[in-house]
């Protein structure tokens, strides 16, 4: 029940990676046959991923994880803006982004970069108008998460992308900007990649982040889509790999695994989404019927097929998760990346909830192996725990 945090590697993905650990182990930068063979694996993976995103293969950059990709998008954009003589750069993002985005943004505030943190509505949805009202000639980057990792809300990325583009077009004459220049639009699509449309042209994004670990692929490999013509300053220097944008010997087996995992996820996207929506809605309905003290965080419909985030009035969510774990059920209190902070989820707090309410919230996230039988067992366990607590 914690598939948003981590997924097991699909057996087909394991098989796709196996040859490149010890048999076809060449360095992709070498010019001998082993190196050329390894390079071909990478380029084929790049083409496969580009085919899904409807992008060019040379627009796919491999990184070692989503955290690096998110930092690369933000830091790379801000550090490169000097070429366009933007002296007082600004960023527009949301208050419910992943900590990697928020941390990267905060790191630049120390150097005078102005960051606008847009708060969502009570249902967890960001209004496009709240973003566009902050657009100005100094805006370098707009970064809005496609689907939230905690409450599962799906943002109107296509609508935001169109609004940013229209603003750029309207300002072209006054600011002497090309419409492909600033502001850049980036989306963290890590949680969306199993279920939602990823056509970068339809979405209107110039930067997009994907992560293998959330799509039944290996950990330690991810993608940053960088639209042709977008200038980013590298944040890792060295051998000039990935068109000079990301130095370091490419991890051939993990890249092959990522491409396979992504292809599988897209092939089963529609069918699996439909199945999980049925399970999700059943789970939510039954949870809410257990007690008047249980409520749903985030929008009931505009959310990921696998996401259920609830608040149980009066509980300590960390202790409750431990109790669930003792009964063989894995759930989470917030993003695994910041769960050690001891504070309530910044996402829940941004919905207008109190610290107490944030510490009463729990996320369940379904996956490919989740069954109705498992959900019924979870419901029974929650009911028993609540009864025990009230005795």
């Amino acid at each position: 029940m914690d598939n948003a945090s981590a997924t097991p590697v699909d057996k087909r993905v394991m098989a796709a990676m196996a040859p490149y650990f010890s048999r076809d182990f060449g360095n992709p930068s070498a010019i001998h046959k082993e190196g050329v063979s390894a390079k071909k694996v990478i380029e084929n993976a790049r083409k496969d991923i580009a085919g899904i995103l409807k992008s060019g293969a040379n627009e796919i950059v491999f990184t070692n994880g989503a955290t690096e990709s998110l930092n690369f998008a933000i830091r790379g954009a801000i550090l490169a803006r000097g070429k366009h003589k933007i002296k007082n750069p600004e960023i527009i993002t949301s208050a419910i982004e992943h900590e990697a985005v928020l941390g990267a943004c905060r790191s630049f505030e120390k150097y005078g970069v102005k960051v606008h943190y847009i708060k969502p509505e009570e249902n967890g949805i960001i209004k496009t108008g709240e973003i566009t009202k902050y657009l100005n000639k100094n805006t370098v980057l707009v970064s809005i998460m496609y689907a939230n990792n905690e409450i599962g809300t799906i943002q109107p990325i296509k609508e935001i992308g169109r609004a940013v583009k229209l603003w750029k077009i309207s300002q072209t004459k006054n600011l002497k900007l090309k419409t492909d220049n600033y502001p850049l639009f980036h989306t963290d699509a890590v949680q969306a990649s199993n279920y939602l449309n990823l056509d970068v042209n339809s979405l209107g994004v110039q930067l997009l982040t994907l992560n293998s670990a959330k799509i039944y692929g290996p950990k330690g490999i991810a993608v940053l889509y960088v639209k042709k013509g977008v200038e980013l300053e590298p944040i890792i220097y060295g051998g000039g790999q990935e068109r000079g944008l990301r130095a370091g010997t490419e991890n051939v087996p993990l890249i092959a695994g990522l491409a396979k995992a992504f292809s599988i996820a897209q092939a089963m996207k529609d069918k699996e989404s439909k199945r999980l929506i049925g399970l999700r809605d059943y789970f939510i309905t039954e949870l809410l019927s257990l007690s008047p003290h249980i409520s749903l965080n985030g929008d009931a419909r505009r959310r990921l097929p696998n996401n259920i985030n609830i608040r149980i009035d009066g509980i300590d969510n960390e202790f409750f998760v431990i109790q669930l774990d003792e009964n063989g059920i894995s759930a989470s209190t917030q993003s695994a990346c910041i769960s050690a902070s001891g504070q309530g989820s910044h996402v829940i707090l941004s919905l207008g909830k109190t610290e107490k309410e944030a510490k009463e919230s729990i996320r369940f996230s379904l996956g490919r192996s989740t069954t109705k039988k498992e959900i019924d067992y979870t419901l029974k366990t929650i009911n028993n725990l609540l009864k025990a607590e009230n005795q």
Side-chain angles (χ1 to χ4, degrees):
M1 294 290 174
D2 196 21
N3 288 274
S5 177
T7 54
V9 178
D10 188 291
K11 291 180 180 179
R12 293 165 289 181
V13 174
M14 292 287 284
M17 293 191 292
Y20 310 112
F21 285 109
S22 57
R23 190 187 75 190
D24 301 325
F25 59 87
N27 187 318
S29 296
I31 61 173
H32 49 60
K33 64 179 181 181
E34 289 86 358
V36 171
S37 177
K39 187 73 171 177
K40 186 175 181 181
V41 172
I42 292 174
E43 295 314 313
N44 285 340
R46 210 185 300 276
K47 289 177 184 176
D48 289 345
I49 294 168
I52 295 170
L53 298 183
K54 302 294 189 293
S55 71
N58 64 347
E59 296 175 315
I60 304 300
V61 178
F62 294 112
T63 72
N64 83 337
T67 294
E68 183 188 324
S69 288
L70 295 170
N71 273 267
F72 185 19
I74 295 163
R75 298 184 67 81
I78 293 295
L79 294 173
R81 98 283 178 180
K83 299 173 185 178
H84 294 267
K85 299 180 181 180
I86 299 178
K87 295 180 180 179
N88 301 298
E90 297 185 14
I91 299 171
I92 300 172
T93 190
S94 85
I96 60 172
E97 299 295 308
H98 189 279
E99 182 60 25
V101 169
L102 297 176
C105 290
R106 287 194 295 265
S107 74
F108 277 113
E109 288 184 296
K110 295 181 293 186
Y111 301 100
V113 175
K114 189 171 184 178
V115 183
H116 303 280
Y117 299 97
I118 309 300
K119 284 197 172 185
E121 298 294 293
E122 189 178 359
N123 64 353
I125 304 296
I126 304 293
K127 280 193 171 182
T128 301
E130 289 299 301
I131 294 170
T132 55
K133 76 179 185 181
Y134 288 105
L135 290 172
N136 64 73
K137 65 180 181 180
N138 294 317
T139 309
V140 172
L141 182 71
V142 176
S143 184
I144 302 294
M145 181 183 275
Y146 197 168
N148 190 266
N149 55 318
E150 291 192 31
I151 59 174
T153 48
I154 299 170
Q155 304 303 337
I157 296 300
K158 187 174 181 179
E159 180 183 310
I160 295 169
R162 177 174 172 76
V164 172
K165 182 177 181 179
L166 289 174
W167 184 86
K168 285 193 282 190
I169 291 173
S170 71
Q171 298 298 308
T172 299
K173 184 177 180 180
N174 293 335
L175 302 180
K176 297 181 180 179
L177 292 174
K178 295 180 181 178
T179 56
D180 284 339
N181 284 343
Y182 300 118
L184 302 174
F185 182 30
H186 166 253
T187 190
D188 170 0
V190 168
Q191 294 292 338
S193 52
N194 270 315
Y195 312 110
L196 305 180
N197 167 41
L198 295 172
D199 181 335
V200 292
N201 302 298
S202 170
L203 295 175
V205 296
Q206 292 79 54
L207 299 161
L208 180 143
T209 298
L210 297 171
N211 185 19
S212 169
K214 312 300 184 184
I215 56 173
Y216 302 83
K219 297 177 178 67
I221 189 70
V223 162
L224 179 65
Y225 156 74
V226 183
K227 184 177 176 65
K228 184 179 180 181
V230 169
E231 295 179 88
L232 295 182
E233 184 72 17
I235 59 174
I236 298 178
Y237 292 88
Q241 291 88 350
E242 298 298 293
R243 295 187 289 116
L245 290 174
R246 203 276 180 188
T249 301
E250 299 95 337
N251 196 324
V252 179
L254 267 61
I255 289 172
L258 163 59
K260 183 66 173 178
F262 198 21
S263 296
I264 292 170
Q266 290 300 298
M268 61 189 303
K269 177 178 67 175
D270 294 340
K271 185 177 180 181
E272 181 64 359
S273 293
K274 183 177 180 180
R275 185 185 78 87
L276 288 178
I277 287 171
L279 290 176
R280 178 200 69 188
D281 291 350
Y282 169 74
F283 195 7
I284 291 172
T285 299
E286 294 300 312
L287 277 169
L288 298 180
S289 70
L290 287 180
S291 168
H293 299 293
I294 298 178
S295 56
L296 183 68
N297 290 319
D299 194 88
R301 294 298 168 191
R302 288 179 290 178
R303 69 189 306 129
L304 288 170
N306 72 327
N307 179 281
I308 302 96
N309 192 303
I310 60 166
R311 182 174 71 85
I312 306 177
D313 187 31
I315 68 159
D316 177 320
N317 61 359
E318 291 190 354
F319 182 60
F320 203 84
V321 165
I322 291 170
Q323 289 179 301
L324 289 171
D325 190 41
E326 289 174 347
N327 285 275
I329 300 165
S330 300
S332 63
T333 58
Q334 55 184 307
S335 170
C337 298
I338 55 172
S339 59
S341 67
Q343 298 178 331
S345 162
H346 72 279
V347 175
I348 303 299
L349 291 172
S350 294
L351 301 181
K353 306 294 185 183
T354 65
E355 180 74 19
K356 176 181 177 293
E357 290 172 323
K359 290 185 176 181
E360 295 171 338
S361 296
I362 297 175
R363 180 189 69 184
F364 299 93
S365 46
L366 316 180
R368 291 178 189 171
S369 65
T370 306
T371 64
K372 182 177 180 294
K373 183 178 179 181
E374 290 176 331
I375 290 175
D376 286 335
Y377 173 71
T378 304
L379 288 164
K380 181 180 178 181
T381 302
I382 292 172
N383 193 38
N384 289 339
L385 291 174
L386 292 177
K387 284 181 178 178
E389 192 164 304
N390 291 326
Q391 286 179 355

